[in-house]
Amino acid sequence: MPSDPSNSDTPRTLSGIDSTVETQRQRLNTVTQETRFVLIQNILSHPKQLPSLKELSYVNPSKSQSTIREHLEILIEDGIVEERMLPDDRRQRDLPWRFYGLTEEGRALLSEAGLLRAEAALQDMYTRLDTTPEIDKYAQAPRPGQATE
């Protein structure tokens, strides 16, 4: 007697759902780890939401650049953050050309988890940040996706 096709599909469908839920859970674990969550907040608070490593280091003085870079790599591997680079012809001497921003998928995950509610407050806090002339210069650097001036 042939098996009921609806019964054979059920475990596969549930397994697919379980796999998706597990992936989302793992990604939420990734973004809610303390240092990575702070980096995401730093990205969200940045006026262009594309800070450079130097800017991230400035707002995280207790972390080394290598530590920040390691956490960024994990966020990149999980598809939460992406590294964006200026094309060679737009790069300027003594200005950053590599930046970090949320992916669309990362933004959607944070939104679904209710972790974007403080975005405006974070941006407001950034405007009050006491910065050095060098960091001000970095903050004004051209970013990928920005029209050339």
Side-chain angles (χ1 to χ4, degrees):
M1 180 178 236
S3 63
D4 181 359
S6 63
N7 285 343
S8 64
D9 285 345
T10 302
R12 211 176 350 199
T13 303
L14 288 177
S15 175
I17 291 170
D18 288 345
S19 174
T20 301
V21 168
E22 179 61 19
T23 299
Q24 290 296 82
R25 188 191 67 70
Q26 288 175 351
R27 292 175 82 212
L28 281 172
N29 260 352
T30 297
V31 300
T32 56
Q33 186 279 338
E34 185 178 356
T35 300
R36 291 189 285 267
F37 191 62
V38 167
L39 290 172
I40 288 169
Q41 290 174 330
N42 298 149
I43 290 168
L44 289 170
S45 71
H46 189 272
K48 297 171 185 164
Q49 295 194 344
L50 282 175
S52 64
L53 181 60
K54 184 103 173 184
E55 291 168 292
L56 291 170
S57 293
Y58 181 79
V59 295
N60 292 285
S62 66
K63 304 287 182 210
S64 69
Q65 279 194 5
S66 61
T67 297
I68 292 170
R69 196 175 296 115
E70 287 171 16
H71 285 285
L72 286 170
E73 286 302 318
I74 292 168
L75 290 166
I76 290 167
E77 287 171 16
D78 279 6
I80 308 298
V81 167
E82 64 185 340
E83 184 178 71
R84 298 190 50 207
M85 294 179 258
L86 275 177
D88 289 343
D89 64 337
R90 293 199 48 221
R91 295 178 187 178
Q92 298 176 30
R93 187 176 185 174
D94 298 330
L95 286 178
W97 51 270
R98 185 180 310 212
F99 305 93
Y100 301 91
L102 291 178
T103 62
E104 287 181 33
E105 195 175 326
R107 181 171 276 284
L109 175 73
L110 294 171
S111 181
E112 287 170 24
L115 299 174
L116 289 178
R117 288 184 230 148
E119 187 172 4
L122 290 168
Q123 290 172 345
D124 186 48
M125 286 172 48
Y126 191 92
T127 64
R128 298 177 195 175
L129 182 65
D130 190 22
T131 57
T132 65
E134 180 185 33
I135 292 301
D136 289 341
K137 178 179 162 182
Y138 272 52
Q140 298 307 313
R143 299 300 199 266
Q146 218 180 15
T148 55
E149 297 173 353

